[in-house]
């Protein structure tokens, strides 16, 4: 499913376009600038879930711990870290268990001692780890590795030393898991980077464009479409791994400019194979206001379609330099049984071979987005959008609300 399908289906989600684009921009930028960063975000999330799932004490990971704790973790023998991970893998439990709840006093001291631990107050010894219940019974305080249960003293509170031992144990356990995940994701990142470079190299060898050439092409479109040269804006560009399967249907670079101060974001996807512009998007704080200001009432909408089509055709010719013949030009917008009209009108210029130029326009004919696809893809996406919105509005209003696609 291409991005047009996804975009149509979720268009009405209440999140400003500028915020959506900024979120995507930051994620994409992170993946390019730092090969492990994009995956690192997922790793951090997965790691956090793992900690919650197994009931670990919420202990900061390596990036957040003090240098003193970092040094202590790095001094732990690799064999011990490996053994810790192997024990975790062998446990078939949903989380840590305790032979009794903590007392309020223990909770209070644990909080204070956790801070002291990060400042370099470490235990003199280590929590005893045993492999059977029989062994556990011989200790007042220990950890049963097979079932991940902490045995706490039955007739007294934990001492400060014992609390520190437990904190130390959990730091080591979390650290060991993090180290393994970092190695796994580092390997994946390297393999992914190699695969990306192979795709680019093969495309360039057969006449495709490099990333630097894609930036130059995007700059030309930025100038032609928006009369801007990128001055004062942040430029970002990368091979978009999602382009082929999700965004534009083929390998592409994403080149984008961000005007953070004025909240304007310009995105261009340039095909690797031929340097063709496959998609363009512009978003910003002013876009939403402009879309709302020109949206007509439902009964006025049909009379405005001709004007929208004229604006779209003018944009295609003057700004995109597209001089082609079409077998038909179609438009589509959506209405609801509540009397609403969509803020965008899509104009589709269909060629004889089925390829189509899709322009997303406001009701005054201003173009907000452009993409290349097929007529069939668009028909599927707009129908999916209708179904999703009908369901969503029905749930929100508490009564049946229908959405219709109005074609011209």
């Amino acid at each position: 499913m291409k991005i047009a399908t996804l975009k149509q289906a979720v268009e009405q989600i209440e999140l400003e376009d500028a915020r959506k684009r900024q979120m995507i921009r930051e994620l994409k930028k992170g993946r390019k600038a730092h090969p492990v960063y994009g995956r690192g975000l997922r790793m951090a999330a997965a790691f956090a879930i793992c900690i919650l799932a197994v009931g670990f004490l919420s202990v900061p990971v390596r990036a957040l711990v003090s240098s003193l704790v970092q040094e202590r973790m790095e001094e732990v023998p690799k064999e011990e870290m490996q053994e810790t991970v192997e024990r975790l893998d062998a446990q078939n439990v949903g989380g840590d268990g305790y032979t009794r709840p903590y007392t309020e006093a223990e909770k209070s001291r644990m909080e204070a001692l956790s801070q002291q631990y990060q400042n370099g107050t470490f235990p003199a010894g280590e929590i005893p780890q045993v492999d059977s219940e029989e062994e556990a019974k011989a200790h007042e305080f220990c950890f049963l590795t097979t079932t991940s249960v902490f045995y706490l003293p039955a007739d007294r509170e934990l001492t400060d030393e014992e609390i520190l031992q437990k904190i130390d144990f959990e730091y080591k356990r979390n650290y060991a898991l993090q180290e393994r995940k970092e190695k796994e994701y580092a390997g994946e990142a390297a393999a992914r980077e190699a695969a990306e470079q192979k795709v680019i190299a093969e495309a360039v060898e057969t006449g495709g464009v490099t990333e630097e050439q894609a930036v130059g092409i995007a700059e030309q479109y930025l100038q032609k479409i928006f009369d801007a040269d990128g001055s004062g804006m942040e430029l970002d560009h990368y091979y978009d791994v999602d382009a082929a399967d999700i965004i534009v249907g083929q390998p592409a670079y994403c080149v984008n400019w961000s005007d953070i101060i004025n909240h304007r974001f310009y995105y261009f996807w340039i095909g690797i194979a031929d340097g063709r512009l496959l998609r363009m998007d512009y978003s910003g704080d002013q876009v939403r206001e402009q879309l709302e200001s020109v949206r007509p009432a439902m009964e006025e909408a049909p009379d405005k379609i001709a004007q929208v089509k004229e604006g779209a055709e003018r944009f295609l010719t003057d700004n995109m330099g597209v001089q082609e013949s079409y077998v038909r030009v179609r438009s589509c917008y959506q209405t609801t049984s509540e009397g609403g009209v969509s803020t965008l009108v899509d104009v589709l210029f269909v060629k004889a071979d089925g390829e189509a130029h899709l322009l997303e326009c406001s009701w005054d004919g201003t173009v907000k987005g452009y993409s290349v696809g097929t007529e069939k893809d668009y028909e599927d996406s707009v129908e999916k959008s209708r179904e999703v919105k009908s369901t969503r509005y029905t749930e929100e209003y508490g009564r049946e609300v229908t959405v219709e696609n109005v074609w011209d």
Side-chain angles (χ1 to χ4, degrees), residues 214-389:
V215 173
I217 294 169
E219 285 176 337
Q220 295 176 24
Y221 280 111
L222 181 68
Q223 181 67 51
K224 286 196 299 184
I225 297 173
F226 300 103
D227 193 26
D229 60 8
S231 299
M233 293 190 285
E234 180 181 344
L235 168 64
D236 188 26
H237 51 87
Y238 48 85
Y239 169 79
D240 196 330
V241 295
D242 297 323
D245 296 329
I246 299 177
I247 300 176
V248 292
Q250 58 183 286
Y253 303 105
C254 178
V255 183
N256 57 81
W257 284 267
S258 300
D259 182 349
I260 305 298
I261 302 300
N262 297 301
H263 301 281
R264 298 190 182 107
F265 307 95
Y266 307 84
Y267 283 78
F268 301 87
W269 279 268
I270 308 297
I272 290 178
D274 53 11
R276 186 182 184 189
L277 176 63
L278 301 174
R279 182 171 182 83
M280 177 276 294
D281 270 321
Y282 165 67
S283 64
D285 291 345
Q286 298 174 344
V287 173
R288 181 179 294 274
E289 298 174 4
Q290 185 265 338
L291 292 177
E292 290 292 346
S293 67
V294 298
R295 176 159 54 174
M298 183 182 292
E299 61 273 12
E300 300 172 337
D303 295 333
K304 292 185 174 290
I305 290 300
Q307 176 188 352
V308 175
K309 284 185 175 180
E310 289 175 4
E313 186 170 8
R314 190 164 51 249
F315 177 90
L316 201 58
T317 302
D318 298 344
N319 296 79
M320 301 295 295
V322 176
Q323 305 284 347
E324 299 181 15
S325 58
Y326 310 99
V327 295
R328 55 187 166 274
V329 179
R330 308 175 68 190
S331 67
C332 181
Y333 63 92
Q334 294 180 325
T335 63
T336 73
S337 56
E338 299 293 313
V341 178
S342 59
T343 55
L344 291 176
V345 183
D346 293 336
V347 182
L348 207 62
F349 296 82
V350 185
K351 297 165 59 178
D353 61 2
E355 184 180 79
H357 297 279
L358 171 64
L359 282 77
E360 301 167 64
C361 307
S362 62
W363 281 93
D364 64 357
T366 302
V367 175
K368 179 181 178 291
Y370 162 84
S371 61
V372 177
T374 68
E375 185 176 21
K376 180 63 167 59
D377 279 344
Y378 177 73
E379 290 173 343
D380 291 344
S381 73
V382 79
E383 175 58 23
K384 182 63 176 177
S385 168
R386 186 194 67 76
E387 295 173 358
V388 170
K389 291 178 183 178

